[in-house]
Amino acid sequence: MKHSNVFVQTAVLSLLVALSLPAYSWTRALTFEQGAIGSKAQSGSDQDFDDAAGGSYITDERVLTGSKAAKLTVTGGSTAFGEWGGIINYPELLRKGDEVWFSVNTYFPEGFNYDSTGGGGHLKFLRIHAQKSDGSNSGYNDWYMNPEASTVPHKFIYEGQQQWFEFGAPSDEVQRGRWETYEMYIKFDNVPADQGGTAVVRVWKDGRLLREITGAETLNSSSDTSDRAHLFTYWNGAAPKTQFMYVDDIVVTSDTPSNRDASGNPMVGGASSGGGEPSVRPAAPQLNVE
């Protein structure tokens, strides 16, 4: 009996120690520096996309930092899954109570048309996937871009909740011909902060908080997990024309960033949101973009 008590006490102590240890944190940083110019930006490197990036290429035509970036292409008339943008897998699943930051630097050339004519008339942009315990889809935490010249340029929805949250002034829509930084933060919970839970969404552009959303669920169930992030990947209603844009220095992380916004919220930030001039090479001639 004495030995049994010792065993139980040791097991309980081990459990308490395990629970007190900090959660494993990870960071995916996509800089696109390892690939050869002109190769697919889905090579198996941890510095580029993991899936659905058939139209994304390593380029030096337009670069924010370093010597390379990614050129994202889309074919007119296509909804383009497997071609447009890409998927970033997590090194480890995130669960209720965990957090994730998803930051991307974008360059939309003059003439780029980001309007969507189907699926509600908005373009899928930054997307955080949630899944059920059996691995099946449970919905996306989706940042959408509304069509150009909309009164409100952006909106968020968690597909498991089906409630829209709009944000941004007209001046916060895409500005072509320059690098911009967009970032989304998710605190995972099936109960919104407004209802006593911890689910929170924050969205930034160029380091400025556009909205803190406290009325959204970010999981459908307490047992759901998040396994990956999507940049674009599907064009609702089909792309209006064949065209391309650039991205650089994408970060997806569960590790609390050291940067803070004006309200003190942790954020990744980015080279294009710090006020400095990005490293830019002259753009290549734009062929077959109509």
Side-chain angles (χ1 to χ4, degrees), residues 64 103-107 179-182 246-249 270-272:
L64 178 63
S103 174
V104 59
N105 296 282
T106 65
Y107 188 101
W179 284 100
E180 301 181 300
T181 301
Y182 295 90
Y246 304 91
V247 297
D248 203 356
D249 294 341
S272 70

Side-chain angles (χ1 to χ4, degrees), residues 80-162:
F81 185 81
E83 173 191 12
W84 168 235
I87 292 174
I88 306 155
N89 294 328
Y90 299 168
E92 184 174 272
L93 294 178
L94 298 178
R95 296 172 169 78
K96 178 173 179 174
D98 290 335
E99 304 168 288
V100 69
W101 288 259
F102 183 10
S103 174
V104 59
N105 296 282
T106 65
Y107 188 101
F108 291 90
E110 297 296 336
F112 191 96
N113 185 344
Y114 60 87
D115 287 355
S116 176
T117 57
H122 39 242
L123 179 67
K124 288 178 167 67
F125 182 33
L126 302 186
R127 315 184 65 205
I128 297 293
H129 182 248
Q131 60 180 6
K132 298 177 183 178
S133 56
D134 63 2
S136 61
N137 180 52
S138 185
Y140 287 83
N141 290 276
D142 272 337
W143 177 337
Y144 286 90
M145 290 182 175
N146 284 329
E148 187 171 8
S150 297
T151 302
V152 181
H154 305 285
K155 61 176 62 175
F156 171 85
I157 191 172
Y158 173 58
E159 292 177 338
Q161 183 182 23
Q162 294 301 113

Side-chain angles (χ1 to χ4, degrees), residues 37 59-63 67 69 71 244 246 280-285:
I37 301 298
T59 185
D60 61 355
E61 296 172 358
R62 184 68 61 174
V63 178
S67 61
K71 181 178 183 178
F244 60 83
Y246 304 91
V280 177
R281 298 188 180 193

